[in-house]
Amino acid sequence: MYFINEDYINSLISDDTLFNEAMQHDIIQKASEAKGITLKESAVLLNINSPDLLDELFHTAKKVKEKIYGNRLVLFAPLYFTNVCINNCLYCAFRRENKELKRKTLTINEIEEEALYLVLQGQKRLLLVAGEHPQKSNLHFIGQAIERIYSINLSGNNIRRLNVNTAPLSVEDFETLKSFGIGTYQCFQETYKFSTYKEMHPVGPKSNYQWRLFAMDRALQACIDDVGIGSLFGLTDYRFETLALLSHAFDLDEKYGIGPHTISIPRLEPALNAPAALNPPYAVDDLSFKKLVTVIRLAVPYTGIILSTREKAELRRELFEVGVSQISAGSRTAPGSYKESIDSLKEHELEQFQLGDHRSLDEVVRDCTSLGYMPSFCTACYRSNRTGDRFMELAKTGNIGKICVPNALTTFQEYLNDFASDETKTIAKPFLQNEIERINGAARKKVEVMLQRVNNGERDVYL
Ligand code: SAM
Ligand code: SF4
């Protein structure tokens, strides 16, 4: 349908001539230039099975990610404010026919309490998430929630970027959403395969495939120029889904000169009384998942790839290697579960799906640091007007790293000074020193001055 050409994608998947090792090798070489690859070339890479070529593929994705973004990993947490929903997505515990789920919508004060908890963990960017409901998650309520969250400030510690993952809106409503000062607007197509989409979304506004497919066009027309797309892997053949997701990214780039700011890669997790999640129709194994993440990184090198705590810690570590650039940490998917004691809450009765990584933010930060990745809480681009084509220009030319690295360092230093455990501080100290020494010339001096300002108590120091 439109920019999703199912026949063409299916022809790529079933084309035997694309299982060619010489061709696979040549395309990996081309991809190493970090300028992207075509849809057909992506299909060829998805066919790689030889262990040597897989190694080459993974290694190349790592190099490409480092070339564009350096070794930083941006951290965030989701904030779910309602699990009430009028849709009935067969994979989600929030679906309206799920009578086993306890329904809960936070008040504005409760949303503030959740955000406050997250600020006190050291988070600086949040993703606001909700079920779709005309009263419980309407635009007016979202606006109030955003205003309240942004108003929190604890001696310079605050939420500096609020991204939003909610139901798609009209252009006019997207304009209102933008006026609330959001960062990225996210919406996942779930599956681009029309027949599967219809099967998975039997009723409610979400059953309209086309309304959702063009959500990002409307958001961009409303001048929300950081948009995040995604597929829910496990609903249909992962090769189809990856190529369709890339078709969407290429289409946005061609039409607006702005590709997606981020691509999310949720994989189906078990969810209470959600038939498609308990028995995924096309479950994706770990190796195929790693391969598809790699191909996305090589096809759209400039795009952030977001990995959530749906995945277990060991696999998350492997995926950092092949190009993931943003991760959630210390997450909960049940409204109100940050603040309340998890045991007494019986989280599974309220949550959207089960998580694979239950570690705290501090544990994830420590783990990333010991693996050589720099945790970043940076929110500078959006506040310095480096969004949309301005961001893309820097990312596509490989210049964004010059800004990301200093900002990652200052925000990491803030985290260490204000929130880190002693264990994390001990690991981070030599790591930070080493990172500073890797910066050459005048840029290093500039970073040292910025870090000194942070160590003198100033907060929110950025380029
Ligand atoms: N209700 C809105 C919607 O569907 O667009 C907003 C966000 S929904 C709460 C967030 C995302 O969670 C969905 O887009 C879907 O991709 C993902 N999700 C739902 N059920 C899931 C499951 N069982 N496992 C993993 N991800 C799931
Ligand atoms: Fe509702 Fe979103 Fe869950 Fe579907 S995925 S049931 S729209 S919360």
Side-chain angles (χ1 to χ4, degrees):
M1 186 176 284
Y2 310 96
F3 52 87
I4 303 298
N5 186 336
E6 289 200 16
D7 289 343
Y8 179 57
I9 294 175
N10 284 327
S11 75
L12 291 176
I13 292 172
S14 57
D15 186 345
D16 289 343
T17 65
L18 303 187
F19 282 84
N20 176 314
E21 293 198 354
M23 204 190 258
Q24 291 168 347
H25 175 77
D26 289 349
I27 296 171
I28 296 176
Q29 292 305 307
K30 179 184 168 192
S32 69
E33 291 165 21
K35 299 216 161 58
I37 52 174
T38 65
L39 201 65
K40 187 171 176 183
E41 289 165 341
S42 305
V44 174
L45 296 190
L46 285 170
N47 289 339
I48 294 182
N49 285 321
S50 113
D52 285 351
L53 278 169
L54 277 175
D55 268 1
E56 201 181 323
L57 182 76
F58 297 149
H59 186 68
T60 305
K62 182 171 192 226
K63 275 198 337 214
V64 166
K65 187 236 157 179
E66 281 181 4
K67 191 167 172 183
I68 307 252
Y69 288 105
N71 63 344
R72 75 175 172 96
L73 273 175
V74 171
L75 289 147
F76 73 96
L79 196 170
Y80 281 69
F81 67 85
T82 183
N83 61 10
V84 181
C85 189
I86 50 171
N87 294 306
N88 199 39
C89 312
L90 298 187
Y91 44 80
C92 179
F94 292 0
R95 68 194 183 91
R96 73 184 196 197
E97 281 177 17
N98 183 5
K99 305 285 179 251
E100 290 174 34
L101 190 84
K102 288 214 174 97
R103 302 289 168 172
K104 182 165 181 172
T105 302
L106 303 183
T107 62
I108 296 295
N109 285 343
E110 285 169 332
I111 292 173
E112 182 179 357
E113 285 171 5
E114 289 286 276
L116 198 58
Y117 173 93
L118 289 162
V119 168
L120 288 169
Q121 301 301 302
Q123 299 281 7
K124 297 287 183 291
R125 41 164 84 205
L126 298 185
L127 174 67
L128 209 53
V129 191
E132 179 169 4
H133 194 275
Q135 281 86 43
K136 311 284 185 192
S137 58
N138 65 31
L139 199 52
H140 176 68
F141 188 78
I142 291 174
Q144 285 183 317
I146 291 174
E147 191 182 352
R148 187 66 77 82
I149 294 170
Y150 276 143
S151 75
I152 297 169
N153 196 321
L154 300 175
S155 313
N157 287 307
N158 54 348
I159 297 303
R160 300 172 188 163
R161 180 176 177 128
L162 249 180
N163 299 331
V164 171
N165 184 331
T166 50
L169 301 170
S170 64
V171 175
E172 201 186 350
D173 285 347
F174 271 130
E175 280 166 354
T176 308
L177 185 65
K178 181 181 164 65
S179 73
F180 299 151
I182 65 158
T184 308
Y185 172 70
Q186 277 188 5
C187 180
F188 309 151
Q189 187 63 23
E190 320 296 10
T191 174
Y192 287 89
K193 190 172 173 193
F194 186 70
S195 56
T196 310
Y197 188 93
K198 284 291 181 192
E199 205 183 307
M200 290 293 150
H201 308 101
V203 290
K206 195 164 167 180
S207 61
N208 188 338
Y209 176 97
Q210 198 175 325
W211 179 249
R212 198 165 179 94
L213 191 64
F214 285 92
M216 296 316 175
D217 292 76
R218 295 192 301 278
L220 285 159
Q221 282 155 24
C223 298
I224 296 180
D225 47 11
D226 283 352
V227 296
I229 62 174
S231 279
L232 182 54
F233 285 93
L235 296 176
T236 187
D237 184 328
Y238 77 89
R239 292 171 306 159
F240 177 93
E241 220 56 88
T242 307
L243 296 178
L245 191 53
L246 290 175
S247 304
H248 195 175
F250 294 156
D251 179 72
L252 292 175
D253 202 4
E254 269 164 36
K255 282 198 298 215
Y256 304 98
I258 306 174
H261 188 69
T262 55
I263 292 184
S264 296
I265 44 167
R267 190 163 59 153
L268 266 183
E269 295 299 330
L272 180 74
N273 199 15
L278 296 170
N279 195 6
Y282 286 84
V284 185
D285 63 86
D286 288 354
L287 181 61
S288 304
F289 194 52
K290 185 170 173 184
K291 196 159 55 166
L292 78 88
V293 173
T294 307
V295 172
I296 294 173
R297 169 51 64 224
L298 296 177
V300 280
Y302 56 84
T303 296
I305 298 183
I306 302 183
L307 182 68
S308 75
T309 51
R310 288 173 180 86
E311 303 300 337
K312 296 195 169 57
E314 305 80 61
L315 183 66
R316 289 198 349 138
R317 291 187 190 108
E318 278 192 48
L319 297 174
F320 299 163
E321 290 271 308
V322 294
V324 162
S325 54
Q326 298 193 20
I327 57 168
S328 50
S331 307
R332 301 269 177 260
T333 67
S337 56
Y338 285 118
K339 192 173 160 277
E340 294 185 37
S341 144
I342 303 308
D343 289 340
S344 67
L345 192 75
K346 289 206 188 130
E347 200 178 9
H348 74 279
E349 291 179 1
L350 288 157
E351 73 187 359
Q352 193 195 12
F353 47 78
Q354 287 172 24
L355 298 177
D357 184 349
H358 297 271
R359 294 171 302 166
S360 67
L361 175 62
D362 190 64
E363 285 171 286
V364 174
V365 165
R366 189 159 64 241
D367 192 34
C368 291
T369 312
S370 53
L371 292 167
Y373 296 101
M374 181 153 44
S376 171
F377 296 87
C378 175
T379 56
C381 279
Y382 145 74
R383 291 178 304 137
S384 301
N385 244 339
R386 285 189 298 268
T387 58
D389 51 356
R390 290 166 300 280
F391 176 85
M392 288 291 156
E393 176 60 22
L394 286 164
K396 285 181 181 171
T397 53
N399 283 315
I400 195 72
K402 290 180 190 149
I403 295 164
C404 292
V405 174
N407 289 341
L409 281 165
T410 53
T411 53
F412 186 30
Q413 186 69 63
E414 274 190 22
Y415 175 81
L416 292 171
N417 293 356
D418 297 339
F419 304 104
S421 63
D422 288 343
E423 206 183 331
T424 301
K425 281 182 190 160
T426 307
I427 289 178
K429 207 172 168 194
F431 172 85
L432 261 178
Q433 197 47 46
N434 187 42
E435 290 298 312
I436 296 165
E437 280 162 19
R438 282 173 43 184
I439 306 171
N440 295 322
R444 188 195 300 181
K445 186 79 215 143
K446 200 164 161 185
V447 167
E448 281 169 346
V449 171
M450 288 168 77
L451 287 171
Q452 195 53 54
R453 284 167 59 195
V454 173
N455 288 332
N456 288 342
E458 204 178 323
R459 290 291 165 267
D460 206 11
V461 176
Y462 63 90
L463 291 177

